[in-house]
């Protein structure tokens, strides 16, 4: 028991011994100043090389407000509709797809990113965004052994894509979503969304950002207003059809009156025909009035579902750029390699001490 306690006491280090060891290591590092200086010089040179050779990254930002359905004034419309015997249901109710953070995931979805990549980058050269991305990032050289890019035509309809085309498009989408795309709310309390595309290709960053926002915007509009647009189209078709019938009946009555300007009151056939046409006109007019009322309500409902996205800021040249400045590269390189030099000297000293022992 006494031997064990003595062994424990021997393993402990006093504050004096700690200070002595600290100064001992400082002296070791001071004696190795040439080695540390070499590491610092190498770090400075690598920092300069990194700042000069590393391409700057450009950031294209678009901020917009996600519009919610405007319920203002719809109470009066619902009241008018109920008086007419109409049930408008949940007018202006927000579709679940566009509630909360779902819109953020829509911007990251494969479908939206793929559709944006297949849009033109330069219409004059007939170059698509995906072609620009592949060439700028040298993917045609990196994937040369696996993909024959010369045989791939991304201008074809999506349903005509080959398996290889779908694979390339999917890999590019994954790479962009992982390294280039950021979609977030700058302030969680506000309904403002910011879409950022980062790329070393300034033109691609701006063009892809605009195409992506436009693609999601169009999808948002079509999806959100699909039911109201279909309802409006059906009512418009019915209104046009009933109006055609009404116009035809009015023309028939006019022709009858022109042919028989003074019908004989003793002959009932002429009076019955005239009366029948007048009844048809009144019935068609009543139906037309009802449909037109419903059509106007449908138009108001449709207008209250659009617009859905209000752009605040768009990307403009020159884009914001992030790069390693020369001074930053020098300081960072010198600091990191100085630490690396300390570790090198420390390990080297321990190694030689171990050999001596």
């Amino acid at each position: 028991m006494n031997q064990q306690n003595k062994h424990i006491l021997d393993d402990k280090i006093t504050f004096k011994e700690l200070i002595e060891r600290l100064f001992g290591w400082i002296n070791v590092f001071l004696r190795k100043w040439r080695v540390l200086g070499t590491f610092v010089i190498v770090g400075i040179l690598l920092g300069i090389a990194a700042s000069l050779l590393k391409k700057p990254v450009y950031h294209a930002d678009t901020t917009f407000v996600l519009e919610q359905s405007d319920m203002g004034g719809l109470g009066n419309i619902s009241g008018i509709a109920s008086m007419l015997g109409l049930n408008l249901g949940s007018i202006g109710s927000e579709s679940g797809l566009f509630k909360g953070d779902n819109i953020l995931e829509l911007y990251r979805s494969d479908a939206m990113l793929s559709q944006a990549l297949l849009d033109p980058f330069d219409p004059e050269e007939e170059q698509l965004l995906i072609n620009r991305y592949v060439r700028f990032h040298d993917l045609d050289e990196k994937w040369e052994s696996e993909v024959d890019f010369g045989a791939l035509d991304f201008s074809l309809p999506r349903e005509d894509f080959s398996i290889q085309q779908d694979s390339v498009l999917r890999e590019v989408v994954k790479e962009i979503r992982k390294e280039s795309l950021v979609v977030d709310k700058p302030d969680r309390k506000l309904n403002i969304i910011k879409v950022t595309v980062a790329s070393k290709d300034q033109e691609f960053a701006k063009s892809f950002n605009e195409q992506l926002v436009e693609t999601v915007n169009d999808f948002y509009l079509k999806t959100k207003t699909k039911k109201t647009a279909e309802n409006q189209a059906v009512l418009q078709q019915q209104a046009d059809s009933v109006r055609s019938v009404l116009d035809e009946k009015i023309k028939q009555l006019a022709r009858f009156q022109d042919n028989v300007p003074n019908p004989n009151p003793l002959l009932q056939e002429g009076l019955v025909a005239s009366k029948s046409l007048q009844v048809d006109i009144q019935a068609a007019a009543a139906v037309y009035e009802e449909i037109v009322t419903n059509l106007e309500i449908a138009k108001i409902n449709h207008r209250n579902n659009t617009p859905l996205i209000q752009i605040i800021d768009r990307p403009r040249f020159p884009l914001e750029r992030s790069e390693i400045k020369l001074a930053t590269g020098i300081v960072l390189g010198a600091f990191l390699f100085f630490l690396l030099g300390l570790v090198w000297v420390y390990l080297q000293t321990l190694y030689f001490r171990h050999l001596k022992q």
Side-chain angles (χ1 to χ4, degrees), residues 232-248:
Q232 180 179 334
V234 170
L235 289 173
Q236 186 65 58
Q237 184 179 4
Q238 291 177 349
D240 294 340
S241 178
V242 173
R243 181 58 188 263
S244 298
V245 173
L246 179 60
D247 292 341
E248 183 61 28

Side-chain angles (χ1 to χ4, degrees), residues 14 35 54 102 177 184 193 216 223 225 280 289 292 317:
T14 63
V35 176
K54 185 175 177 58
N102 290 353
R177 184 166 49 225
D184 198 8
I193 295 176
V216 177
T223 304
T225 61
D280 291 343
E289 181 180 1
V292 169
F317 289 128

Side-chain angles (χ1 to χ4, degrees), residues 37-79:
T38 302
F39 272 90
V40 171
I41 293 174
V42 172
I44 291 175
L45 294 177
L46 291 178
I48 294 174
S51 61
L52 295 178
L53 298 178
K54 185 175 177 58
K55 295 181 180 180
V57 177
Y58 298 93
H59 300 269
D61 301 322
T62 297
T63 56
F64 61 89
V65 177
L66 177 61
E67 295 278 342
Q68 304 292 335
S69 297
D70 185 8
M71 296 297 293
L74 290 182
N76 296 333
I77 298 174
S78 300

Side-chain angles (χ1 to χ4, degrees), residues 84 242 246 282-295:
L84 297 172
V242 173
L246 179 60
Q282 292 176 357
V287 173
Y288 181 72
E289 181 180 1
E290 182 75 11
I291 293 177
V292 169
T293 301
N294 295 347
L295 179 60

Side-chain angles (χ1 to χ4, degrees), residues 134-149:
V134 167
R135 293 176 184 174
F136 187 86
H137 293 82
D138 298 325
L139 297 184
D140 48 351
E141 298 179 3
K142 295 178 182 178
W143 300 347
E144 184 179 4
S145 59
E146 301 177 2
V147 181
D148 182 12
F149 281 94

Side-chain angles (χ1 to χ4, degrees), residues 187-330:
D187 191 335
R188 307 302 296 182
K189 297 180 181 179
L190 303 178
N191 213 25
I192 297 177
I193 295 176
K194 183 177 182 180
V195 181
T196 301
V197 175
S199 177
K200 296 178 181 178
D201 184 356
Q202 182 175 206
E203 289 77 12
F204 174 85
K206 180 178 182 295
S207 181
F208 182 72
N209 183 288
E210 293 172 341
Q211 291 293 347
L212 180 60
V213 172
E214 182 180 352
T215 298
V216 177
N217 190 7
D218 290 342
F219 177 81
Y220 191 92
L221 286 169
K222 293 176 182 178
T223 304
K224 186 75 186 300
T225 61
K226 183 178 181 180
K227 291 184 178 180
T228 56
E230 290 177 351
N231 184 41
Q232 180 179 334
V234 170
L235 289 173
Q236 186 65 58
Q237 184 179 4
Q238 291 177 349
D240 294 340
S241 178
V242 173
R243 181 58 188 263
S244 298
V245 173
L246 179 60
D247 292 341
E248 183 61 28
K249 292 297 180 181
I250 293 175
K251 291 178 181 178
Q252 291 180 8
L253 179 60
R255 285 195 295 267
F256 178 81
Q257 291 177 346
D258 289 340
N259 294 332
V260 187
N262 297 309
N264 191 344
L266 299 178
L267 299 177
Q268 297 297 318
E269 183 177 359
L271 295 176
V272 170
S274 177
K275 191 67 174 178
S276 177
L277 289 173
Q278 292 177 8
V279 171
D280 291 343
I281 291 173
Q282 292 176 357
V287 173
Y288 181 72
E289 181 180 1
E290 182 75 11
I291 293 177
V292 169
T293 301
N294 295 347
L295 179 60
E296 292 303 317
I297 294 175
K299 288 181 179 180
I300 295 174
N301 185 21
H302 186 67
R303 283 197 298 270
N304 276 277
N305 281 274
T306 53
L308 299 173
I309 294 179
Q310 182 62 48
I311 303 295
I312 301 175
D313 294 318
R314 298 180 183 272
R316 298 180 181 277
F317 289 128
L319 299 180
E320 180 184 353
R321 54 188 286 173
S322 59
E323 58 183 340
I324 301 177
K325 296 182 179 180
L326 184 60
T328 303
I330 292 174

